Amino acid sequence: FAKTNKVDVKTYETKTVEKRIDYAEVVTEALEKINKLEILQSSMKEEVEIKAQWDNFLFKNNQTIQIRGNGIYKLDLDKFEVITSCNEATIIADIETSVEIYDIKEQTEKGWLVMYDREFTSQEYSDMIFKVKDKMKSEMQDEANLKVAKERAEEIIKTKVKEKGVLNVRVVWR
C-alpha cells in the first residue's frame, strides 16, 4: 500500500502598501542645503578719473583710481516656492548678487607747478566706492551675464533635487 500524505494548503493574502512621497518636502530639504551657495564669480574692474580744472602741463593734477572687485552670484532660496505634482517639481528661485572690492590703486599725474596731493574725505571716498559697487552690480544684472549665472544655478538645483529622486525639475526665475 502506498501511503498518502495530506498537505495543508493555506492561502496568504498579499497587501500592497502605497507609500506617498511628499515631493515638496523632499525638494525643500534638498534646496535648503544649497541656499546662499556661490554659483559664479566674475572679476570686475572700474576706473574713476578725476581731472583738475586746469588741464595743462603746468597746473594739471589728474588722478586715476583703479578699483578691482569680484562680482558674486549666489542662489537666494530664502523666498523660494515649490510646486509639485506626481514626480515633477517646479521651483521658483532667485539669484542674489554682491560685489567685493579687493584692490584699489591710485595713480596721479601732476603738472610742473603742482605741489600738493589731492585728498579725499572719508565720506567722498565711501561715496565713490558705493557708486563703483553700484555700477558693477548693474553690469552683473546685464541680461547676458545673468543668463550664464542662471544656467549654472539651474544645473546645480536640478542635480541636487534629482539626487533625492524627483525626476522632472523645472526652474522658474523671479
Side-chain angles (χ1 to χ4, degrees), residues 156-171:
I156 291 169
I157 289 172
K158 285 181 177 180
T159 302
K160 288 293 180 185
V161 172
K162 284 183 178 180
E163 285 176 0
K164 297 291 185 179
V166 179
L167 298 178
N168 299 322
V169 180
R170 198 178 84 161
V171 180

Side-chain angles (χ1 to χ4, degrees), residues 9 28 33 35 38 48 64-65 86-87 106 108 112 119-121 125 164:
V9 178
T28 302
K33 291 180 183 174
N35 188 22
E38 188 176 299
V48 178
T64 304
I65 303 169
C86 297
N87 195 9
E106 296 181 23
T108 305
W112 290 0
E119 295 289 324
F120 294 105
T121 65
Y125 192 77
K164 297 291 185 179

Side-chain angles (χ1 to χ4, degrees), residues 22-55:
D22 184 4
Y23 287 106
E25 188 177 313
V26 170
V27 171
T28 302
E29 187 178 299
L31 293 179
E32 284 175 347
K33 291 180 183 174
I34 59 172
N35 188 22
K36 302 296 181 193
L37 179 72
E38 188 176 299
I39 52 173
L40 191 64
Q41 255 193 32
S42 174
S43 184
M44 306 181 90
K45 176 182 145 187
E46 279 297 323
E47 280 190 6
V48 178
E49 282 188 49
I50 303 163
K51 293 193 174 208
Q53 194 172 17
W54 313 83
D55 196 16

Side-chain angles (χ1 to χ4, degrees), residues 66-77:
Q66 286 185 350
I67 302 170
R68 294 179 187 266
N70 284 329
I72 301 168
Y73 296 90
K74 291 182 181 181
L75 275 175
D76 186 7
L77 298 172

